[in-house]
Amino acid sequence: MYRRTILCFRGQDTLNAFQRGMCCLMRRYVSVRSEHDIKNFIIDNTEIVSAQSLTPEISLRLFTPTCRFWTERPESWPFPDPYWAIYWPGGQALARYLLNNPEVSGGRKVLDLGCGCGASAIAAKLTGASRVVANDTDPNNIIGSKPDDWDLILLGDMFYDEDLADHLHKWLQTCITTHGTQVLIGDPGRAQFEGHDIRKLLHKLACFELPDSVKDENYGLTNSTVWCYNYKPDL
């Protein structure tokens, strides 16, 4: 099953835009429900969270231990896997880094690839990006397609699968070669990431200690790092 969320933020309320995107996403899979019903379902089964993350200034609607589906069997959830309802540690580090360094995304065209809950995209918009697109799993397969002229690509928690990492590596090199795109990667040190060839081409920009609740939810991972991709194309 595909999950797809593409949000273009051009001055509108980013949080409301993200909620509208979630409703459109869910409607693809449950056509018998109205957008109103789906929105109410999400509201009833998620919680607005701002604390207990690296970015308390951003409020997100997420799964938490107090939510009904936190402990229920996955098949009882009526929609595709709700990765969008979890604030993953790599995305937290990216969002925190942008908020701390607004010049990184200010005035730039930004793609948040594999956006999940969209926090990095929201952080980019809050820090003055001229255009932000938040893209999650997409049937049009943006990875491998001819790249647009992005100034900055953000990837949080995207190196969890070796095949995906290989495809990302090749596509990012194309983006850099074609448009001189800057690439920032957020990852808490997963084995698939640490052992991949791309790791040799990265420069550490920042490292953040994760809040205790995030550590507990991510099998004891304690830190999350932002890396800059330093691929130099042959001229």
Side-chain angles (χ1 to χ4, degrees):
M1 292 182 289
Y2 289 107
R3 297 171 295 118
R4 186 187 186 195
T5 308
I6 302 179
L7 311 176
C8 297
F9 299 131
R10 296 177 180 172
Q12 73 268 40
D13 184 317
T14 54
L15 293 181
N16 286 341
F18 189 72
Q19 290 171 352
R20 288 197 298 273
M22 287 299 98
C23 289
C24 292
L25 166 68
M26 297 309 184
R27 188 167 51 185
R28 289 187 59 194
Y29 296 96
V30 188
S31 59
V32 297
R33 291 185 175 181
S34 69
E35 183 173 310
H36 177 75
D37 291 338
I38 295 170
K39 181 177 180 179
N40 285 338
F41 181 88
I42 294 172
I43 290 172
D44 290 341
N45 291 284
T46 56
E47 180 181 8
I48 295 176
V49 177
S50 58
Q52 299 181 341
S53 78
L54 290 175
T55 57
E57 57 268 69
I58 297 178
S59 296
L60 300 166
R61 185 168 286 283
L62 305 172
F63 274 165
T64 71
T66 64
C67 296
R68 169 190 168 194
F69 286 97
W70 185 266
T71 55
E72 290 199 13
R73 296 174 62 85
E75 55 267 29
S76 65
W77 174 254
F79 306 119
D81 293 335
Y83 298 120
W84 53 267
I86 298 172
Y87 196 3
W88 301 98
Q92 291 197 30
L94 278 174
R96 181 70 268 160
Y97 182 77
L98 294 182
L99 293 171
N100 288 355
N101 303 275
E103 71 281 0
V104 172
S105 50
R108 307 180 80 187
K109 292 176 289 185
V110 180
L111 171 65
D112 183 7
L113 183 61
C115 64
C117 68
S120 297
I122 293 171
K125 187 60 184 179
L126 290 175
T127 52
S130 61
R131 180 175 181 239
V132 180
V133 172
N135 175 275
D136 210 32
T137 302
D138 185 349
N140 294 323
N141 193 18
I142 191 172
I143 301 170
S145 65
K146 182 179 179 180
D148 290 334
D149 58 340
W150 302 108
D151 299 314
L152 176 64
I153 294 178
L154 307 172
L155 300 105
D157 307 280
M158 284 290 283
F159 290 84
Y160 55 85
D161 175 85
E162 186 174 355
D163 288 339
L164 175 60
D166 289 342
H167 285 103
L168 274 173
H169 193 185
K170 294 176 183 177
W171 186 73
L172 292 172
Q173 289 179 347
T174 301
C175 294
I176 295 169
T177 302
T178 306
H179 299 294
T181 304
Q182 182 182 10
V183 176
L184 298 184
I185 296 170
D187 194 273
R190 295 185 180 88
Q192 297 90 333
F193 174 71
E194 293 294 336
H196 197 272
D197 286 345
I198 195 173
R199 181 66 178 76
K200 303 172 185 176
L201 301 174
L202 302 180
H203 171 68
K204 182 187 292 186
L205 295 177
C207 185
F208 302 95
E209 183 176 357
L210 296 169
D212 289 341
S213 60
V214 181
K215 294 177 185 177
D216 293 342
E217 294 165 9
N218 288 275
Y219 306 101
L221 294 170
T222 59
N223 298 280
S224 192
T225 302
V226 176
W227 304 88
C228 182
Y229 193 1
N230 281 341
Y231 173 69
K232 303 294 184 183
D234 296 330
L235 300 177

